[in-house]
Amino acid sequence: MRDHKTVSIADQIFEQLEHEILTGKYARGELLTEMKLSAELGVSRTPIREAIRRLEQEHIVAETGRGIVVVGITKEDVLDMYDIRINLEGLAAERAAKNISEEQLVEMGEVLALQKFYIDKPDNDNSSKIKNLDSQFHTLLYISSKSPAIGNVLQQVHRKITKYRRASVRKHSRAVQSHEEHMAIYAALEAHDSDRARALATEHAKNAKKSIMGMEI
Amino acid sequence: MLELSSKTNLLKEDDYRYSLQEVEEANLFRDLFDYDQVPKVSFNHRLVPMSMPEEIWITDTTFRDGQQSVNPYTPEQIENIFRLISKLGGPYGIIRQTEFFIYSKKDREAIERCRDLGFKFPEITTWIRASREDFRMVKDLGIRETGILVSCSDYHIFKKLKMTRAQAMEHYLATVKDAFEAGVMPRCHLEDITRADFYGFVVPFVNELMKLSQQAGIPLRIRACDTMGYGVAYPGAALPRSVPGIIYGLQHYSDVKSEHLEWHGHNDFYKAVSNASAAWLYGASGVNCSLLGIGERTGNVPLEAMVFEYASLRGSLDGMDPTAITEIAEYFSEEIGYKIPPMTPFVGRYFNVTRAGIHADGLLKDEEIYNIFNTEKLLNRPALVAVSKTSGLAGIAYWINQNYQLKGENQVGKRDALVAALKAWVDEQYEQGRTASLSTEELEAKIEELKNERS
C-alpha cells in the first residue's frame, strides 16, 4: 500500500542531518549548536531540537559537557553493520521469495533495469544514482519479506553505511558485480526459491563487506 | 465515558454522535442569508480553543481553481510556474501539494512535465469528477491523492443536485468507496460549508467518511471549502459562518486529525487571508491557496500572503524562499499577461512605493520607518519612492539614490543642488497640469540634462 504518512519538517531535518553526518559533512567530534543549524538549514529551532533528540537516540550524536557532539560511526560499527547484513539479509530474502507479489517483482525489475542503464555509462559519475537504486532494490527486498522487524533493522543499517556503499559502487567492477548479484537474487525471488534466495543474498552481503575492507574507515 | 485528550492532556467526555437530519425543505439559513440584504453574522458566544497544529503547510490550486477563472495555461507555463512554486516552498515542502486536472491531453502533458522535474515538493495531486474510471486513471498516473467534490449545503444538495440529504450522502459515500477500492486517498471538498447545516449534515456525513476510511485503512483528507467567502473568524460567531467553529467541530465531533484537515477560502468579503490564518490557529494543518489569489470571482487565498502569515506565526520561513514571489509576479505579468493591481500586497507595483513627501523624508533617514520589512532582502524589491507632486526634496534625493544604486558617500542628500534643480522641474510639471507620477525614463532624461548644464 502506498505510504500516506505526512512528512514533518522534523523528520526531514533528521534525515538530512543523519545523511550529512554519515557522509562526513560534519566530522566526528564536531560541535553542533541549535542556532548554527537553524541558520544553516533555514528553519526554526523546534524541528532542529526534535531532530537532535532522535539523532541522540540513534547514537549518532551525543550530549556532552560542551554541547551536542558528532559521534558518527566508528570502524568497528561499520564492520558490525556489515555482519548484521550478512546474517539478516539472507533471512529477508528467504521470506521475500515466499511472499513477494507480482507488482513488487515488476517494480524490482524496473529498478534493476535502471541500475544497469547507469552502470553501463561509466564515463559519468553516476555512483550516487547507482547507490540510490541499490537502496531501492534492498528496500523492496525488505518490504516484500513482509517482516517489519527484519526490514526496519536492515533499513537502519543500510542508511548508516550509505557512505561506504556509495564508495563501493564507485569502483566500476564492483558496481557490475553487485548488479549481477542483484539479478541472481531477483531470479530466485521470481522463482519463489527461498533457499537459493537466502544463499545468494548472504553471498551478496559478504561480497559487499569484502569490497569495503580496503577502504579508509 | 471519559478519556484523556492528547491535545489538552485533560479528561474529556466521549462526545455525542450527531446523526443525519433529513429535512423536507432546504435549510437556506434565510435569517443570515437574505439574498436581498447583506449577509449577517450572528453570535452565540461559544468560544472554542485555539489549537495550532504541530505542523502547518500550504497547498496550491493555481492549476485548478486558479485556472478555472483565467485562460488556460500551456503545459510549458504550468511547468515554469511549478518550478517557481517549488522554489518558493523550499526544501521542506511548506508548499506541500498542488492539484491538477487530468482530463485533457494537455492536462496530462503538464503533469508529466512537472513530474519529470523530480521535485519532492510540491506533491502532484488531482481533482476529478469522481467516477470509478477517473479513480483508476488517477492511480494509473501514479498519483496518491485526489480531490472530489462533496457539496454540503442545501443550496447545492437541493437546488443543484436535486437530491435529499440522505441521497446526497449515499451518493458521496459510494464515490469515496470507489476511491478506496482503487487505492487512492480521497480529498473530500466540502463545498459551501459556510452555508451548510453543520450538525445536521456536515458532521454526520464526515463521521461516515471517517468510518469508511478506517475500514479501508487509507486516510482521507477533508477540505472545508468556504466557496462564497462567507466565513468569519470572529470569536464567538455562530455556525455556519464561524471558521473556528467549523475547524473545531470537525476535529472534536468527527475526529478529523489536523494533518488531514485543510481550509479553502474565497475573498468575496475581504476575509480570505484572515480566515485561512484562523483555520491554522484553530487546528487545520493545511490552507489551500492560489498564486496571486487568482481564482473565481474575487479570487482565492493568495498563496504569497500565507507565506508571510506562516513566518509570522511560526517565527521562521522554514526554508521558504520569498524572493520567488517576485519572480512569480514577474512571470505572471510578463509571460502570462496578467495585470496585477498595483497596490496588491507583496506583488503589486506600488506595494512598497512611498509617494507622500513626508513619508519619503522618513524613508530617507531610515528605511524601516515606512517600509514593512526589508523588502529588498525578503522579496528582492527595494523600497522605492514615486516622484509626484507631493514629493519633497527628501523623496527626490531618495529616488536618485535608489535608482542609481548610490551608496555611502556617493549618495545625494536633500540639500544637493541637483536635487533642488530636479525638484523645481518636477513642481513645474504639476503646475502645468500634470497628474500622473513621473516615470523613471522621464526623470533619468531630466537628470542627464541637468548634469550636462552643470558641467
Side-chain angles (χ1 to χ4, degrees):
Chain A
M1 194 197 357
R2 221 168 268 143
D3 183 15
H4 293 286
K5 203 165 161 279
T6 303
V7 177
S8 71
I9 299 179
D11 285 343
Q12 294 179 70
I13 298 293
F14 164 75
E15 280 173 18
Q16 187 173 340
L17 285 175
E18 186 194 47
H19 178 79
E20 286 174 354
I21 290 170
L22 295 174
T23 52
K25 181 181 171 186
Y26 299 104
R28 212 175 291 160
E30 187 173 336
L31 201 61
L32 299 179
T33 63
E34 283 179 18
M35 272 182 65
K36 177 178 155 192
L37 291 173
S38 172
E40 258 175 41
L41 298 172
V43 297
S44 68
R45 286 164 69 169
T46 307
I48 302 281
R49 208 169 289 144
E50 166 82 22
I52 287 178
R53 191 185 58 79
R54 283 181 61 188
L55 289 167
E56 264 186 281
Q57 285 174 345
E58 301 271 328
H59 306 292
I60 294 173
V61 302
E63 170 84 54
T64 68
R66 294 188 297 134
I68 300 289
V69 156
V70 173
V71 170
I73 50 175
T74 63
K75 179 177 176 175
E76 289 71 30
D77 290 334
V78 173
L79 295 174
D80 282 349
M81 282 185 224
Y82 273 95
D83 285 341
I84 290 171
R85 279 192 68 188
I86 288 166
N87 282 280
L88 265 190
E89 204 131 321
L91 182 57
E94 179 187 314
R95 300 270 183 98
K98 287 185 185 132
N99 298 322
I100 196 164
S101 69
E102 278 312 307
E103 209 176 83
Q104 285 165 331
L105 279 167
V106 166
E107 206 180 330
M108 203 179 257
E110 283 170 4
V111 165
L112 290 174
L114 208 48
Q115 197 179 29
K116 174 122 177 53
F117 172 76
Y118 286 116
I119 290 169
D120 287 347
K121 293 168 89 177
D123 298 337
N124 304 330
D125 180 13
N126 290 313
S127 56
S128 197
K129 291 191 176 92
I130 295 168
K131 192 261 317 168
N132 289 342
L133 288 160
D134 175 82
S135 299
Q136 283 181 47
F137 171 80
H138 285 275
T139 299
L140 281 165
L141 182 72
Y142 307 152
I143 291 172
S144 53
S145 76
K146 291 205 166 34
S147 168
I150 297 172
N152 287 343
V153 169
L154 284 169
Q155 283 282 58
Q156 275 198 47
V157 161
H158 239 243
R159 256 193 358 253
K160 287 191 168 126
I161 55 173
T162 195
K163 179 173 146 187
Y164 305 98
R165 288 171 42 233
R166 185 176 169 182
S168 165
V169 296
R170 237 189 221 125
K171 277 185 282 179
H172 188 249
S173 57
R174 176 59 201 154
V176 170
Q177 185 193 6
S178 172
H179 181 261
E180 283 168 3
E181 289 164 6
H182 286 168
M183 289 299 297
I185 295 168
Y186 176 72
L189 295 175
E190 232 185 352
H192 300 286
D193 186 340
S194 305
D195 292 338
R196 187 156 172 72
R198 183 181 187 128
L200 288 168
T202 305
E203 194 58 31
H204 172 63
K206 283 180 182 167
N207 291 337
K209 184 181 179 183
K210 272 188 213 142
S211 79
I212 62 127
M213 289 310 284
M215 280 187 210
E216 179 76 30
I217 298 176
Chain B
M1 196 173 116
L2 294 175
E3 58 178 29
L4 197 68
S5 161
S6 57
K7 269 184 178 272
T8 62
N9 296 309
L10 295 169
L11 292 168
K12 65 171 190 139
E13 300 226 348
D14 201 4
D15 293 301
Y16 175 76
R17 286 279 143 187
Y18 288 91
S19 50
L20 177 70
Q21 300 298 307
E22 191 60 276
V23 292
E24 295 270 326
E25 284 176 17
N27 181 355
L28 304 178
F29 293 96
R30 281 293 180 219
D31 287 349
L32 301 175
F33 301 115
D34 182 331
Y35 193 57
D36 292 326
Q37 295 182 21
V38 174
K40 301 176 182 67
V41 180
S42 72
F43 288 80
N44 56 11
H45 306 288
R46 287 197 199 139
L47 298 175
V48 294
M50 244 186 231
S51 180
M52 167 74 85
E54 207 175 299
E55 297 264 333
I56 57 171
W57 55 78
I58 296 166
T59 65
D60 172 74
T61 188
T62 296
F63 307 127
R64 203 275 300 170
D65 203 338
Q67 207 177 179
Q68 282 173 306
S69 61
V70 295
N71 289 333
Y73 304 127
T74 65
E76 187 185 344
Q77 287 173 336
I78 289 176
E79 182 189 331
N80 290 335
I81 295 168
F82 186 87
R83 283 175 190 275
L84 289 169
I85 292 174
S86 186
K87 181 179 176 184
L88 174 58
Y92 309 113
I94 309 303
I95 302 176
R96 194 140 296 195
Q97 297 174 323
T98 182
E99 67 207 56
F100 288 73
F101 291 117
I102 56 166
Y103 294 112
S104 72
K105 216 169 138 200
K106 274 193 180 163
D107 294 335
R108 290 192 291 279
E109 184 191 335
I111 290 175
E112 283 310 311
R113 277 176 171 246
C114 294
R115 183 185 295 169
D116 286 348
L117 294 172
F119 297 152
K120 194 173 172 196
F121 298 109
E123 179 193 352
I124 294 171
T125 71
T126 57
W127 189 87
I128 58 173
R129 277 182 302 252
S131 64
R132 211 166 266 174
E133 292 69 37
D134 290 350
F135 288 121
R136 268 194 221 110
M137 204 190 318
V138 169
K139 185 151 187 231
D140 290 343
L141 285 170
I143 286 166
R144 193 176 72 121
E145 177 179 320
T146 186
I148 56 174
L149 197 59
V150 289
S151 311
C152 59
S153 73
D154 286 352
Y155 283 84
H156 287 256
I157 292 170
F158 280 75
K159 290 168 173 265
K160 185 176 85 183
L161 299 175
K162 310 259 189 258
M163 289 183 180
T164 65
R165 287 183 183 181
Q167 286 169 343
M169 191 192 284
E170 199 182 310
H171 170 67
Y172 296 149
L173 291 174
T175 303
V176 168
K177 272 189 203 140
D178 286 344
F180 287 138
E181 270 165 31
V184 171
M185 176 175 168
R187 182 180 61 240
C188 299
H189 295 204
L190 296 173
E191 190 182 20
D192 207 25
I193 199 171
T194 45
R195 284 192 299 186
D197 185 344
F198 191 74
Y199 293 114
F201 182 82
V202 175
V203 168
F205 171 49
V206 174
N207 288 346
E208 293 303 313
L209 288 173
M210 301 302 282
K211 271 190 214 158
L212 283 183
S213 168
Q214 227 174 2
Q215 285 159 10
I218 299 175
L220 66 76
R221 203 179 303 285
I222 297 292
R223 182 182 285 183
C225 299
D226 181 16
T227 307
M228 302 304 292
Y230 288 124
V232 295
Y234 310 137
L239 289 163
R241 296 185 71 175
S242 168
V243 176
I246 288 168
I247 301 300
Y248 175 81
L250 287 170
Q251 296 211 280
H252 197 67
Y253 295 108
S254 295
D255 298 325
V256 181
K257 288 188 190 153
S258 293
E259 62 185 298
H260 295 138
L261 187 51
E262 76 177 35
W263 177 260
H264 170 98
H266 285 267
N267 202 35
D268 298 72
F269 293 92
Y270 283 110
K271 291 181 168 58
V273 174
S274 59
N275 284 348
S277 299
W280 268 341
L281 286 168
Y282 284 88
S285 279
V287 295
N288 184 242
C289 309
S290 70
L291 290 176
L292 309 180
I294 294 171
E296 200 72 306
R297 300 181 315 279
T298 58
N300 293 70
V301 179
L303 193 150
E304 59 278 5
M306 299 317 289
V307 167
F308 291 107
E309 286 290 292
Y310 180 102
S312 296
L313 292 168
R314 304 295 275 198
S316 167
L317 283 159
D318 281 340
M320 287 192 282
D321 179 1
T323 63
I325 290 171
T326 301
E327 290 181 67
I328 286 164
E330 282 165 3
Y331 189 81
F332 271 80
S333 293
E334 288 157 27
E335 286 294 323
I336 292 176
Y338 178 76
K339 290 187 178 26
I340 301 172
M343 294 201 308
T344 309
F346 311 126
V347 294
R349 201 165 138 230
Y350 295 140
F351 96 92
N352 65 341
V353 175
T354 299
R355 291 173 193 253
I358 191 167
H359 294 163
D361 183 58
L363 208 67
L364 188 71
K365 287 171 179 146
D366 188 335
E367 189 182 284
E368 207 174 333
I369 296 172
Y370 282 112
N371 203 27
I372 53 170
F373 49 60
N374 188 339
T375 53
E376 184 166 10
K377 180 181 174 194
L378 291 172
L379 285 163
N380 210 14
R381 294 269 307 263
L384 295 174
V385 298
V387 176
S388 66
K389 73 176 195 180
T390 59
S391 297
L393 291 166
I396 288 171
Y398 188 92
W399 187 92
I400 294 172
N401 290 331
Q402 282 291 346
N403 191 59
Y404 295 103
Q405 294 179 42
L406 303 174
K407 306 276 180 216
E409 284 172 4
N410 295 328
Q411 289 192 324
V412 299
K414 64 183 185 180
R415 299 190 206 293
D416 197 286
L418 173 66
V419 174
L422 190 61
K423 164 85 171 125
W425 175 77
V426 167
D427 287 344
E428 197 186 315
Q429 303 310 300
Y430 288 100
E431 276 158 22
Q432 286 171 4
R434 186 182 181 120
T435 52
S437 302
L438 287 151
S439 71
T440 301
E441 292 74 23
E442 286 174 295
L443 288 164
E444 283 180 349
K446 190 62 191 174
I447 287 169
E448 204 51 41
E449 191 189 303
L450 289 170
K451 274 165 64 178
N452 289 339
E453 279 171 16
R454 288 163 75 194
S455 62

